[in-house]
């Protein structure tokens, strides 16, 4: 028998030894909980394709935010579902919009909780696209600069209502710079921007569109969200957003894009977020329901992988459970 000098298994012999050499640990502080607040309901509604995820009424959302904080979470990402939609997404930037109302109430009860708001127009547009559209015969266009103007109004209105950070998720060109400039010019220099910098057009968003009631009524989002085949382009997108003033950059979805996450974190050294999206969530939930996976072990493995691949911040529908599971 050959004498081995190196036996890596020596450090795997017991749980205590493995803990000593563990390189990546997840804690409650890594996670952001997405919350959906709807103006259309009085009582929480389950989302069929995402078991365990609910839309909350304006009355309930404060308690839900408080509950998240009590569990040890530090941040929420707020999505709004308005009563009425139109072609200018006016519900997104009115002073008494659903997100604006929710923010004021949450900030009053939980001033320490970091409130991040999704800044997009799709939930507020009657056609469900993330921007202003123009239809020419069979073709439709999502107009970039016209959309950016509305995104700026939305971001300003969220910031004025108390958002600590705005998170534009639309993928229009130039919106980070425009929002940064508007915040600064309106005496809101402290409001941060978490940019959905590399957001890919993905089949994994399906269940979210039920949650946010935002499926496009025609066409798809490929003229603004990125092609899943492109990594170099993702890096260019991230560089643009950083140059325009993004404080945090995000990669979305998560598991199929670990290479992008790694390259973004390594290449730019900026706080980097990843969004573990609805389809990724639904897939695991279905597997758990069928008895294929143990939920806790599966989710902890996925979240550890995301952090190992460079994520500083993980947005996940399991944030509540993880706050507990991560305690061990
Ligand atoms: Zn959108």
């Amino acid at each position: 028998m050959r004498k081995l000098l190196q036996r890596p298994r020596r450090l795997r012999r017991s749980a205590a030894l493995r803990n000593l050499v563990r390189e990546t640990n997840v804690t409650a502080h890594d996670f952001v909980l997405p919350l959906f607040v709807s103006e259309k309901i009085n009582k929480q509604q389950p989302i069929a394709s995402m078991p365990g995820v609910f839309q909350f009424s304006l009355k309930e959302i404060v308690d839900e935010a408080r509950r998240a904080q009590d569990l040890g979470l530090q941040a929420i990402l707020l999505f709004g579902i308005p009563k009425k939609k139109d072609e200018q997404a006016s519900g997104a930037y009115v002073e008494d919009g659903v997100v604006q109302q929710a923010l004021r109430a949450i900030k009053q009860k939980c001033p320490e909780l970091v409130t991040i708001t999704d800044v997009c127009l799709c939930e507020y547009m009657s056609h469900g696209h993330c921007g202003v559209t123009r239809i020419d015969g069979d073709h439709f266009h999502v107009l970039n600069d016209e959309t950016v103007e509305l995104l700026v109004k939305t971001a300003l209105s969220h910031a004025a209502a108390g958002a600590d950070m705005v998170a534009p998720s639309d993928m229009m060109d130039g919106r980070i710079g425009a929002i940064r400039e508007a915040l600064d010019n309106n005496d809101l220099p402290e409001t941060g921007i978490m940019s959905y910098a590399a957001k890919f057009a993905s089949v994994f968003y399906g269940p979210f569109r039920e949650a946010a009631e935002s499926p496009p009524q025609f066409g798809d989002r490929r003229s603004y969200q990125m092609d899943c085949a492109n990594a170099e382009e993702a890096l260019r997108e991230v560089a643009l957003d950083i140059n325009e003033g993004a404080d945090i950059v995000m990669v979305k979805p998560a598991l199929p894009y670990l290479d992008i996450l790694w390259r973004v974190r390594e290449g730019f050294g900026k706080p980097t977020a990843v969004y573990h999206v609805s389809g990724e969530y639904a897939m695991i939930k279905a597997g758990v329901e069928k008895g294929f996976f143990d939920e806790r072990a599966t989710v902890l493995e996925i979240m550890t992988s995301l952090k190992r691949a460079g994520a500083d911040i993980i947005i996940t529908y399991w944030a509540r459970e993880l706050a507990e599971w991560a305690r061990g």
Side-chain angles (χ1 to χ4, degrees), residues 120-122 130 169 221:
C120 201
L121 306 176
C122 47
C130 301
S169 61
R221 300 194 207 266

Side-chain angles (χ1 to χ4, degrees), residues 2-314:
R2 230 180 106 223
K3 266 197 189 161
L4 287 180
L5 197 58
Q6 292 295 339
R7 289 182 183 271
R9 288 186 53 201
R10 283 182 196 127
L11 300 179
R12 295 180 207 141
R13 277 170 51 227
S14 69
L17 278 168
R18 291 192 292 274
N19 286 342
L20 275 177
V21 297
R22 189 151 221 247
E23 298 171 34
T24 311
N25 287 293
V26 293
T27 78
H29 293 174
D30 296 319
F31 303 111
V32 174
L33 174 69
L35 284 177
F36 299 97
V37 57
S38 170
E39 223 176 3
K40 292 161 62 180
I41 56 177
N42 291 314
K43 222 175 131 319
Q44 67 178 67
Q45 298 289 329
I47 295 154
S49 50
M50 299 171 70
V53 181
F54 296 84
Q55 291 179 345
F56 295 99
S57 69
L58 267 166
K59 244 186 269 146
E60 296 164 319
I61 196 71
V62 180
D63 284 344
E64 212 38 51
R66 167 63 66 82
R67 205 182 128 219
Q69 195 176 29
D70 290 346
L71 285 168
L73 297 172
Q74 306 189 117
I76 57 169
L77 174 59
L78 208 51
F79 293 87
I81 298 118
K83 217 183 268 167
K84 276 195 293 197
K85 301 179 186 232
D86 57 33
E87 301 237 318
Q88 286 300 309
S90 48
Y93 43 85
V94 286
E95 212 193 320
D96 63 346
V98 57
V99 167
Q100 290 82 347
Q101 289 187 57
L103 271 173
R104 284 189 208 101
I106 291 169
K107 270 294 165 194
Q108 206 167 36
K109 285 275 166 57
C110 317
E112 302 295 314
L113 186 67
V114 176
T115 50
I116 311 171
T117 57
D118 181 79
V119 171
C120 201
L121 306 176
C122 47
E123 295 104 313
Y124 304 87
M125 284 287 194
S126 40
H127 49 61
H129 276 288
C130 301
V132 179
T133 55
R134 194 185 63 217
I135 299 183
D136 297 331
D138 287 345
H139 297 285
F140 80 99
H141 306 275
V142 173
L143 306 176
N144 195 85
D145 300 6
E146 289 80 349
T147 300
V148 170
E149 276 178 40
L150 300 186
L151 292 168
V152 166
K153 283 168 84 166
T154 306
L156 276 178
S157 144
H158 288 181
D164 293 298
M165 199 171 299
V166 291
S169 61
D170 51 284
M171 289 299 282
M172 298 301 131
D173 296 330
R175 89 277 206 220
I176 301 300
I179 291 172
R180 184 69 272 158
E181 190 179 292
L183 289 169
D184 292 347
N185 290 342
N186 284 275
D187 213 17
L188 293 160
E190 307 263 278
T191 308
I193 303 179
M194 177 166 78
S195 148
Y196 287 66
K199 179 177 181 179
F200 291 87
S202 170
V203 298
F204 293 106
Y205 302 148
F208 174 90
R209 289 178 190 156
E210 184 198 343
E213 300 181 13
S214 62
Q217 303 300 308
F218 50 84
D220 58 35
R221 300 194 207 266
R222 287 172 195 277
S223 77
Y224 40 105
Q225 295 176 354
M226 283 193 51
D227 183 340
C228 71
N230 295 357
E232 295 298 334
E233 186 188 355
L235 299 180
R236 289 197 296 274
E237 280 281 9
V238 170
L240 280 172
D241 285 6
I242 291 174
N243 286 336
E244 289 177 30
D247 301 287
I248 297 172
V249 286
M250 190 204 294
V251 174
K252 182 181 180 183
L255 272 193
Y257 298 89
L258 283 190
D259 58 323
I260 310 285
L261 175 59
W262 174 251
R263 290 175 72 176
V264 167
R265 188 62 182 78
E266 286 291 292
F268 297 97
K270 269 274 184 186
T272 304
V274 69
Y275 199 139
H276 188 261
V277 304
S278 59
E280 298 179 85
Y281 175 87
M283 219 163 42
I284 302 299
K285 278 284 186 187
V288 168
E289 237 166 68
K290 284 196 178 282
F292 297 160
F293 307 118
D294 173 77
E295 185 168 6
R296 176 185 161 136
T298 310
V299 174
L300 279 171
E301 180 174 334
I302 291 171
M303 299 303 149
T304 304
S305 307
L306 297 178
K307 194 166 174 187
R308 191 198 61 230
D312 300 290
I313 298 160
I314 301 170

